[in-house]
PDB file of all heavy atoms in Angstrom:
ATOM      1  N   GLU A  36      -6.640  14.863   2.242  1.00 98.00           N
ATOM      2  CA  GLU A  36      -7.826  14.500   1.446  1.00 98.00           C
ATOM      3  C   GLU A  36      -7.864  12.978   1.272  1.00 98.00           C
ATOM      4  O   GLU A  36      -6.901  12.375   0.762  1.00 98.00           O
ATOM      5  CB  GLU A  36      -7.767  15.202   0.081  1.00 98.00           C
ATOM      6  CG  GLU A  36      -8.926  14.915  -0.839  1.00 98.00           C
ATOM      7  CD  GLU A  36     -10.218  15.672  -0.469  1.00 98.00           C
ATOM      8  OE1 GLU A  36     -10.277  16.310   0.609  1.00 98.00           O
ATOM      9  OE2 GLU A  36     -11.162  15.592  -1.271  1.00 98.00           O
ATOM     10  N   CYS A 110      -8.228  12.607 -10.821  1.00 98.00           N
ATOM     11  CA  CYS A 110      -8.093  13.081  -9.441  1.00 98.00           C
ATOM     12  C   CYS A 110      -6.622  12.979  -9.068  1.00 98.00           C
ATOM     13  O   CYS A 110      -6.087  11.862  -8.969  1.00 98.00           O
ATOM     14  CB  CYS A 110      -8.956  12.229  -8.507  1.00 98.00           C
ATOM     15  SG  CYS A 110      -8.864  12.824  -6.822  1.00 98.00           S
ATOM     16  N   GLY A 111      -5.990  14.123  -8.864  1.00 98.00           N
ATOM     17  CA  GLY A 111      -4.553  14.130  -8.579  1.00 98.00           C
ATOM     18  C   GLY A 111      -4.231  13.548  -7.216  1.00 98.00           C
ATOM     19  O   GLY A 111      -3.367  12.676  -7.090  1.00 98.00           O
ATOM     20  N   HIS A 112      -4.969  13.999  -6.184  1.00 98.00           N
ATOM     21  CA  HIS A 112      -4.662  13.456  -4.857  1.00 98.00           C
ATOM     22  C   HIS A 112      -4.995  11.966  -4.842  1.00 98.00           C
ATOM     23  O   HIS A 112      -4.315  11.173  -4.188  1.00 98.00           O
ATOM     24  CB  HIS A 112      -5.433  14.215  -3.748  1.00 98.00           C
ATOM     25  CG  HIS A 112      -6.741  13.578  -3.396  1.00 98.00           C
ATOM     26  ND1 HIS A 112      -7.941  13.940  -3.980  1.00 98.00           N
ATOM     27  CD2 HIS A 112      -7.032  12.550  -2.548  1.00 98.00           C
ATOM     28  CE1 HIS A 112      -8.901  13.182  -3.488  1.00 98.00           C
ATOM     29  NE2 HIS A 112      -8.383  12.347  -2.618  1.00 98.00           N
ATOM     30  N   ASN A 184     -10.323  18.002 -14.774  1.00 98.00           N
ATOM     31  CA  ASN A 184     -11.677  18.420 -14.394  1.00 98.00           C
ATOM     32  C   ASN A 184     -11.764  19.898 -14.781  1.00 98.00           C
ATOM     33  O   ASN A 184     -10.737  20.547 -15.009  1.00 98.00           O
ATOM     34  CB  ASN A 184     -11.909  18.282 -12.883  1.00 98.00           C
ATOM     35  CG  ASN A 184     -11.849  16.836 -12.408  1.00 98.00           C
ATOM     36  OD1 ASN A 184     -12.630  16.004 -12.848  1.00 98.00           O
ATOM     37  ND2 ASN A 184     -10.921  16.535 -11.513  1.00 98.00           N
ATOM     38  N   HIS A 230     -15.802  22.538 -10.400  1.00 98.00           N
ATOM     39  CA  HIS A 230     -14.847  22.796  -9.316  1.00 98.00           C
ATOM     40  C   HIS A 230     -14.576  24.305  -9.278  1.00 98.00           C
ATOM     41  O   HIS A 230     -14.254  24.896 -10.317  1.00 98.00           O
ATOM     42  CB  HIS A 230     -13.517  22.077  -9.545  1.00 98.00           C
ATOM     43  CG  HIS A 230     -13.587  20.586  -9.422  1.00 98.00           C
ATOM     44  ND1 HIS A 230     -14.190  19.784 -10.368  1.00 98.00           N
ATOM     45  CD2 HIS A 230     -13.120  19.753  -8.455  1.00 98.00           C
ATOM     46  CE1 HIS A 230     -14.081  18.517  -9.981  1.00 98.00           C
ATOM     47  NE2 HIS A 230     -13.435  18.472  -8.829  1.00 98.00           N
ATOM     48  N   CYS A 250     -15.399  21.018  -4.349  1.00 98.00           N
ATOM     49  CA  CYS A 250     -15.593  19.886  -5.269  1.00 98.00           C
ATOM     50  C   CYS A 250     -17.074  19.801  -5.673  1.00 98.00           C
ATOM     51  O   CYS A 250     -17.934  20.435  -5.062  1.00 98.00           O
ATOM     52  CB  CYS A 250     -15.135  18.605  -4.581  1.00 98.00           C
ATOM     53  SG  CYS A 250     -13.368  18.653  -4.193  1.00 98.00           S
ATOM     54  N   ASP A 256     -11.817  20.390  -0.879  1.00 98.00           N
ATOM     55  CA  ASP A 256     -10.623  19.546  -0.987  1.00 98.00           C
ATOM     56  C   ASP A 256      -9.661  19.916   0.138  1.00 98.00           C
ATOM     57  O   ASP A 256      -9.229  21.060   0.236  1.00 98.00           O
ATOM     58  CB  ASP A 256      -9.970  19.756  -2.363  1.00 98.00           C
ATOM     59  CG  ASP A 256      -8.971  18.667  -2.698  1.00 98.00           C
ATOM     60  OD1 ASP A 256      -8.429  18.049  -1.756  1.00 98.00           O
ATOM     61  OD2 ASP A 256      -8.728  18.442  -3.892  1.00 98.00           O
ATOM     62  N   CYS A 260      -5.312  19.932  -4.277  1.00 98.00           N
ATOM     63  CA  CYS A 260      -6.048  19.520  -5.476  1.00 98.00           C
ATOM     64  C   CYS A 260      -5.100  19.403  -6.682  1.00 98.00           C
ATOM     65  O   CYS A 260      -4.662  20.414  -7.248  1.00 98.00           O
ATOM     66  CB  CYS A 260      -7.197  20.478  -5.797  1.00 98.00           C
ATOM     67  SG  CYS A 260      -8.309  19.828  -7.060  1.00 98.00           S
ATOM     68  N   GLY A 261      -4.847  18.159  -7.075  1.00 98.00           N
ATOM     69  CA  GLY A 261      -3.898  17.928  -8.178  1.00 98.00           C
ATOM     70  C   GLY A 261      -4.403  18.461  -9.505  1.00 98.00           C
ATOM     71  O   GLY A 261      -3.653  19.090 -10.270  1.00 98.00           O
ATOM     72  N   THR A 262      -5.685  18.214  -9.797  1.00 98.00           N
ATOM     73  CA  THR A 262      -6.209  18.709 -11.081  1.00 98.00           C
ATOM     74  C   THR A 262      -6.369  20.233 -11.020  1.00 98.00           C
ATOM     75  O   THR A 262      -6.162  20.920 -12.023  1.00 98.00           O
ATOM     76  CB  THR A 262      -7.538  18.020 -11.433  1.00 98.00           C
ATOM     77  OG1 THR A 262      -8.433  18.098 -10.315  1.00 98.00           O
ATOM     78  CG2 THR A 262      -7.324  16.561 -11.802  1.00 98.00           C
TER      79      THR A 262
HETATM   80  O1  PYC B 417      -6.642  16.222  -6.365  1.00 52.10           O
HETATM   81  O2  PYC B 417      -7.411  16.445  -8.400  1.00 52.10           O
HETATM   82  C1  PYC B 417      -7.576  16.330  -7.186  1.00 52.10           C
HETATM   83  C2  PYC B 417      -8.953  16.319  -6.660  1.00 52.10           C
HETATM   84  C3  PYC B 417     -10.110  16.472  -7.367  1.00 52.10           C
HETATM   85  C4  PYC B 417     -11.151  16.381  -6.442  1.00 52.10           C
HETATM   86  C5  PYC B 417     -10.599  16.176  -5.199  1.00 52.10           C
HETATM   87  N1  PYC B 417      -9.263  16.147  -5.354  1.00 52.10           N
END
Side-chain angles (χ1 to χ4, degrees):
E36 180 77 351
C110 182
H112 93 267
N184 296 300
H230 291 73
C250 297
D256 196 335
C260 191
T262 51

